[in-house]
Amino acid sequence: MSEAIVLDDRPRRVGQPPSAPRIIAIANQKGGVGKTTTAINLATALASVGRKVLIIDLDPQGNASTGIGLQRSQRGTGAYALLFGETTVAEAAQKTSIPRLTIIPSTLDLSGAEIELVGAERREFRLRESLRNGAADGYHYVLIDCPPALGLLTLNALVAADAVMVPLQCEFYALEGLSYLTRTIERVKRSLNPALDVQGVVLTMFDRRNNLSDLVAKDVRDHFGKKVYDTVIPRNVRVSEAPSHGKPVLLYDLQCAGSRAYIHLAGEVLRQEKSHEKRMTA
Ligand SMILES: Nc1ncnc2c1ncn2[C@@H]1O[C@H](COP(=O)(O)OP(=O)(O)O)[C@@H](O)[C@H]1O
Ligand SMILES: [Mg+2]
């Protein structure tokens, strides 16, 4: 990454925030593949180089909210109220200990949302309608941490997003069930959100002592080609310790291999944005 990462709050020359943010849904219907870890740490790395970032914790388990250090009592109205039009982005966004990083947390009522959405009007568009039309202007990035299912919550994220990022754990079953996710993305593109892009696939929990990790990584690259980020997130104990301290690993141990990997990943995401802007203005 060309910009040095410094976790402080000195003003940076990054220009004005764009009028509309890049909205990225972090999705995979499997649990434990690194969605939340990627949401928190990519967001922190992007915020550290001057981007204004909003995380939306759309998982009723609320791991992103806990992992960023937000107690239940500090969560305010939360993602449920946003989905049901009872609040605005500005009202629901809570400050975190990281400069430029805010979060719309998961609250207890979100666990009922999956069922309540079934009967709701324009049920797949609820999040999109709360986020679009200027509601999230001023942010560079909105990262949506999805639950481990392809239900209406994840569907709302995919419909609201400009792109989807898919974390894949480097294990034997990594690709299993992925065709279901790919088909869901295609279906959303065909009917609900034609502009949905695949931001990228990120390999997580790579274990270099394990040959299987290499094999899986190769398999995934054969399958997804250029969509797979060069950066691979290693399995790293510091990454798994950080959430219990209510901190992104970048704050918990900036020098560890996991932090360095997420900083590299953020660099790749920023470079994608530059090529995206070039295409838009070409
Ligand atoms: N690179 C990593 N190294 C070690 N542990 C990790 C790593 N990434 C995630 N974990 C741990 O694995 C578990 C699942 O990760 P998480 O990000 O919560 O997955 P998901 O959101 O997809 O369910 C968590 O306990 C997390 O701390
Ligand atoms: Mg999660």
Side-chain angles (χ1 to χ4, degrees):
M1 181 146 71
S2 55
E3 293 151 286
I5 188 150
V6 187
L7 295 171
D8 69 6
D9 196 18
R10 277 174 289 171
R12 260 154 238 297
R13 286 190 301 126
V14 291
Q16 291 299 311
S19 58
R22 177 90 172 157
I23 304 176
I24 302 174
I26 302 180
N28 184 332
Q29 77 273 27
K30 277 195 193 180
V33 298
K35 289 183 291 298
T36 300
T37 306
T38 298
I40 291 180
N41 292 297
L42 178 59
T44 303
L46 289 169
S48 315
V49 290
R51 292 344 184 242
K52 274 197 77 183
V53 188
L54 172 68
I55 296 175
I56 299 179
D57 187 354
L58 213 57
D59 184 351
Q61 301 224 10
N63 294 342
S65 310
T66 315
I68 213 104
L70 221 66
Q71 308 295 329
R72 288 248 169 233
S73 59
Q74 303 171 309
R75 296 193 186 178
T77 51
Y80 175 93
L82 188 72
L83 268 174
F84 287 92
E86 294 163 7
T87 189
T88 60
V89 170
E91 213 172 69
Q94 304 292 313
K95 280 202 170 124
T96 69
S97 59
I98 299 119
R100 290 175 294 274
L101 176 59
T102 50
I103 182 167
I104 297 184
S106 163
T107 40
L108 284 175
D109 45 13
L110 195 60
S111 45
E114 193 72 60
I115 290 170
E116 288 172 47
L117 278 168
V118 173
E121 219 176 291
R122 291 180 61 72
R123 59 187 188 179
E124 298 95 348
F125 293 90
R126 307 304 303 226
L127 189 61
R128 185 182 179 92
E129 282 163 10
S130 302
L131 283 183
R132 298 278 173 158
N133 300 327
D137 285 5
Y139 287 103
H140 293 91
Y141 290 95
V142 176
L143 303 184
I144 309 172
D145 186 24
C146 292
L150 290 177
L152 277 166
L153 283 171
T154 296
L155 212 52
N156 264 271
L158 295 178
V159 172
D162 296 301
V164 52
M165 181 179 286
V166 182
L168 279 188
Q169 192 182 343
C170 292
E171 46 126 39
F172 184 62
Y173 296 109
L175 286 166
E176 195 181 79
L178 213 64
S179 59
Y180 191 47
L181 177 61
T182 318
R183 278 206 303 277
T184 304
I185 293 170
E186 287 307 316
R187 189 160 59 88
V188 169
K189 277 182 72 142
R190 268 201 309 277
S191 52
L192 304 167
N193 181 12
L196 183 67
D197 201 2
V198 175
Q199 184 83 20
V201 174
V202 55
L203 291 162
T204 64
M205 295 183 236
F206 183 88
D207 185 349
R208 63 187 162 77
R209 290 161 306 179
N210 184 344
N211 287 339
L212 187 61
S213 267
D214 272 324
L215 288 175
V216 171
K218 185 182 175 305
D219 233 22
V220 172
R221 288 188 195 283
D222 286 347
H223 196 267
F224 289 100
K226 283 210 168 73
K227 282 290 175 191
V228 187
Y229 289 104
D230 292 338
T231 306
V232 172
I233 312 297
R235 183 177 285 283
N236 179 224
V237 67
R238 306 300 270 171
V239 174
S240 58
E241 287 168 0
S244 62
H245 298 266
K247 284 180 180 174
V249 71
L250 272 87
L251 287 193
Y252 179 63
D253 183 352
L254 179 59
Q255 302 303 331
C256 76
S259 294
R260 289 204 304 269
Y262 275 109
I263 290 166
H264 279 286
L265 181 66
E268 284 197 66
V269 171
L270 291 169
R271 283 196 293 279
Q272 280 182 304
E273 212 51 50
K274 281 187 187 129
S275 60
H276 180 71
E277 274 163 26
K278 262 189 216 149
R279 278 204 308 276
M280 302 283 278
T281 51

